[in-house]
Amino acid sequence: MPIFLSFSAKLLKPKSTSTTTLNTIISFTSYCNFIFTKRMSQKCTSIPKKQERVRDHAYDNYMEIEKKTRKVLKFQSLILSQHNQTLPISRLDILSRRIGFKQHEAGKFVLKLPHVFEIYEHPVQRILFCRLTRKAILQIEQEKQALNAQIPDAVTRLRKLLMMSNTGRLRLEHIRIAMSEFGLPEDFEYSVILKNPQYFRLFDADENRNKYVELVERDKSLAVCAIEKVREKEYREKGIDAEDIRFSFIVNFPPGFKIGKYYRIAVWKWQRVPYWSPYEDVSGYDLRSLEAQKRMEKRAVATIHEMLSLTVEKKLTLERIAHFRLAMNLPKKLKEFVLQHQGIFYMSTRGNHGKLHTLFLREAYRKGELIEPNDLYFARRKLGELVLLSPRKMKMDRELVSYRRDRDDSRIEHVRSVYEGNNVENYGIEKNGEDNLNSDLGSDIESDCIDDDDDDDDDCDEIIGKEPGACVSE
């Protein structure tokens, strides 16, 4: 009997293998749940590092116009550097190759832009010359006046730019490369730096013999980013939650940009991550932790945002931003870094055969136009308007001149016949003076109609008898 009970107890005892299998299943299930949760959390909290660029045609069209104006500026500087600011057509092709034009390209380029360049025959030498039109010269003068008028603003922009650097100094050559974007005149070394010794100090470095611009003293009142003013405006006008907008940026994704569920959550969490201001000194912080790296990454976004805000047209090329990379703690791969934040910036490759990457501040533009323009922006856009004017308008202006000259000639012939019938000698008019009268009248009409757009429209409306503006066909 005891033997039977012991044998039955062994049969009823559960096997150890089943327990091991159950524990294995439980541990495997928990491991799968951990991996799944980790992947889900990574998707929800991190923005993808590599993204494809989505085009926005409003900014690309802006760069197509600037591509033409960039060529015009090169050609203008070539003409202005010549004697009497005129260039003989015989030397046009040779000199234009120095500024990047191909063979026989300069002549076609000049003929396509009759509102900017004028070809005329020299009255003595009887050879063709090229010069700038009156409209182009007025545009250059307007830009110079706007540039000189905003020199105090340029001083403030340069001070803020130096405050964003780690050491409070920047190379003079790097500033010179980007002087047009920051609204600095060509002689900014004298008119901005040397004329303001209370703000700047210019010196030569001993180790590399390069010139540097150093900030004399930091001004706390200037250490306010443009994004902070935008946040306050959004908070007051739209009533957004203060916690959501405290560290956020204005995000406007380009048309066609695919925003998934996890990407939207990742952007929302990234917007709430705190960061250090671009004007704050971070040399005393420990930057090895994961939290510090996230803050530095967002600080780099704020630095690029502030640099674009300091420019005149709220745009700057990545190649010029790269000059300030070491001085402002920007990442090495700027292109991939910018593509992570396509809702804040837009990068265009138009304008220089894809060699330059122009970075726009999206919140500063609407439909390809600057929301808050300035006088310097208007002056530079005026050149783009001259480039876009159709050559047919110039052709019609010349036709109107010849039409009016013919009409006036017929009127003069009629007056002359009347005078001759009434004994011209009694009126004291000499017959040999008729040719001078015709030539003077024709030259006055031609100069008025070609130089002034407003006069052209009024004259052609009077001649043709149409409504105002009907004579111009774009």
Side-chain angles (χ1 to χ4, degrees):
M1 189 67 179
I3 296 174
F4 176 75
L5 291 174
S6 63
F7 179 74
S8 61
K10 289 181 180 180
L11 292 176
L12 295 175
K13 185 178 180 181
K15 296 183 179 180
S16 60
T17 54
S18 60
T19 305
T20 306
T21 305
L22 183 61
N23 294 333
T24 305
I25 294 173
I26 294 173
S27 62
F28 179 75
T29 305
S30 62
Y31 175 76
C32 291
N33 292 334
F34 172 74
I35 295 297
F36 180 75
T37 306
K38 184 177 180 181
R39 290 182 179 178
M40 290 289 289
S41 63
Q42 286 180 352
K43 280 187 176 181
C44 295
T45 58
S46 61
I47 299 177
K49 296 295 182 182
K50 293 185 179 180
Q51 294 184 14
E52 295 183 358
R53 183 171 60 90
V54 179
R55 290 189 178 275
D56 196 331
H57 296 289
Y59 297 96
D60 288 340
N61 294 338
Y62 185 99
M63 291 306 301
E64 286 294 335
I65 300 174
E66 186 166 326
K67 178 176 67 176
K68 298 179 181 179
T69 57
R70 191 180 290 118
K71 279 188 174 183
V72 171
L73 290 173
K74 290 182 179 180
F75 218 96
Q76 281 185 350
S77 61
L78 179 63
I79 293 177
L80 294 176
S81 63
Q82 301 298 315
H83 180 64
N84 292 332
Q85 298 181 352
T86 57
L87 184 64
I89 299 297
S90 57
R91 300 182 58 196
L92 183 66
D93 191 59
I94 299 175
L95 295 177
S96 61
R97 295 185 193 179
R98 301 178 183 177
I99 56 176
F101 283 85
K102 298 180 182 178
Q103 188 177 8
H104 307 307
E105 184 183 3
K108 297 179 182 178
F109 181 75
V110 169
L111 292 176
K112 286 180 180 179
L113 302 172
H115 296 275
V116 183
F117 305 106
E118 179 185 1
I119 297 177
Y120 70 100
E121 184 180 7
H122 197 276
V124 178
Q125 301 178 7
R126 296 299 179 185
I127 59 176
L128 294 178
F129 278 81
C130 178
R131 65 185 176 188
L132 297 178
T133 61
R134 180 170 173 267
K135 299 175 185 177
I137 294 175
L138 289 176
Q139 186 273 331
I140 294 174
E141 293 297 327
Q142 182 182 356
E143 184 174 353
K144 285 183 179 179
Q145 292 177 3
L147 197 63
N148 294 329
Q150 57 88 54
I151 284 183
D153 297 333
V155 172
T156 304
R157 284 194 289 266
L158 185 57
R159 292 175 65 188
K160 292 172 74 72
L161 192 66
L162 291 171
M163 286 175 62
M164 285 193 291
S165 63
N166 297 329
T167 58
R169 63 178 65 175
L170 291 172
R171 277 187 59 179
L172 181 65
E173 187 62 27
H174 293 167
I175 300 175
R176 189 185 304 278
I177 292 173
M179 66 179 181
S180 177
E181 284 78 1
F182 289 106
L184 298 172
E186 294 183 359
D187 62 337
F188 76 96
E189 185 177 350
Y190 171 75
S191 60
V192 175
I193 298 175
L194 296 179
K195 271 195 171 183
N196 296 278
Q198 69 275 19
Y199 300 136
F200 311 109
R201 187 171 70 91
L202 192 65
F203 67 96
D204 295 333
D206 297 333
E207 59 275 8
N208 48 17
R209 295 182 180 179
N210 291 325
K211 280 190 175 182
Y212 283 83
V213 183
E214 187 178 32
L215 192 66
V216 175
E217 185 179 0
R218 289 179 176 267
D219 190 355
K220 294 183 179 179
S221 62
L222 297 179
V224 180
C225 298
I227 188 61
E228 297 178 12
K229 300 178 182 178
V230 175
R231 288 185 191 126
E232 183 179 357
K233 184 179 179 181
E234 292 284 319
Y235 175 74
R236 294 182 181 276
E237 293 182 357
K238 299 183 179 180
I240 304 176
D241 187 12
E243 188 63 27
D244 291 338
I245 205 172
R246 185 180 178 186
F247 302 107
S248 64
F249 290 82
I250 306 301
V251 177
N252 298 313
F253 290 104
F257 187 83
K258 296 181 180 180
I259 307 173
K261 174 183 177 182
Y262 298 116
Y263 186 85
R264 191 183 299 274
I265 297 173
V267 171
W268 180 80
K269 290 189 175 182
W270 181 84
Q271 291 274 50
R272 296 170 68 92
V273 173
Y275 68 96
W276 293 298
S277 172
Y279 297 106
E280 187 176 355
D281 186 12
V282 295
S283 58
Y285 296 106
D286 186 7
L287 306 178
R288 294 175 294 179
S289 63
L290 183 61
E291 183 67 23
Q293 291 177 6
K294 289 182 180 180
R295 291 194 176 196
M296 289 298 294
E297 179 184 350
K298 197 167 183 179
R299 183 179 187 266
V301 175
T303 302
I304 298 175
H305 185 285
E306 185 67 10
M307 288 183 65
L308 295 178
S309 301
L310 293 177
T311 58
V312 175
E313 302 180 45
K314 314 304 178 188
K315 67 181 181 66
L316 190 63
T317 61
L318 279 180
E319 288 73 17
R320 291 177 181 175
I321 294 177
H323 291 301
F324 306 100
R325 184 179 64 83
L326 295 177
M328 298 184 182
N329 292 324
L330 297 178
K332 292 182 179 179
K333 299 181 179 179
L334 277 176
K335 183 178 178 181
E336 295 181 1
F337 179 76
V338 168
L339 288 178
Q340 295 180 37
H341 307 280
Q342 297 189 51
I344 305 174
F345 313 111
Y346 178 74
M347 184 174 60
S348 176
T349 56
R350 300 287 182 90
N352 196 12
H353 307 288
K355 296 180 181 179
L356 295 178
H357 302 78
T358 306
L359 200 63
F360 289 85
L361 188 59
R362 293 190 62 89
E363 67 191 53
Y365 282 83
R366 183 180 292 119
K367 296 182 179 180
E369 295 290 337
L370 200 62
I371 297 177
E372 297 180 357
N374 48 70
D375 293 339
L376 189 55
Y377 169 80
F378 281 131
R380 291 176 178 176
R381 293 294 287 177
K382 187 66 176 178
L383 179 60
E385 294 175 3
L386 293 178
V387 171
L388 292 179
L389 280 177
S390 174
R392 291 180 294 176
K393 184 179 185 300
M394 181 67 71
K395 182 180 179 181
M396 180 165 287
D397 291 342
R398 291 171 182 170
E399 291 176 355
L400 292 174
V401 169
S402 61
Y403 179 85
R404 185 169 180 177
R405 183 185 292 115
D406 295 339
R407 190 183 70 169
D408 292 335
D409 289 345
S410 62
R411 185 185 303 170
I412 292 171
E413 290 293 334
H414 174 69
V415 174
R416 182 174 60 184
S417 63
V418 173
Y419 284 172
E420 288 178 352
N422 295 330
N423 193 359
V424 179
E425 295 179 358
N426 296 333
Y427 291 90
I429 300 177
E430 298 180 359
K431 292 185 179 181
N432 56 4
E434 295 168 358
D435 295 336
N436 296 332
L437 177 64
N438 295 341
S439 61
D440 293 340
L441 182 61
S443 62
D444 292 339
I445 295 172
E446 184 175 3
S447 62
D448 290 340
C449 290
I450 290 179
D451 289 343
D452 246 330
D453 277 347
D454 298 336
D455 295 341
D456 292 344
D457 296 339
D458 296 337
D459 292 340
C460 69
D461 295 336
E462 179 184 356
I463 294 169
I464 302 177
K466 294 184 179 180
E467 295 179 358
C471 65
V472 180
S473 60
E474 292 295 338

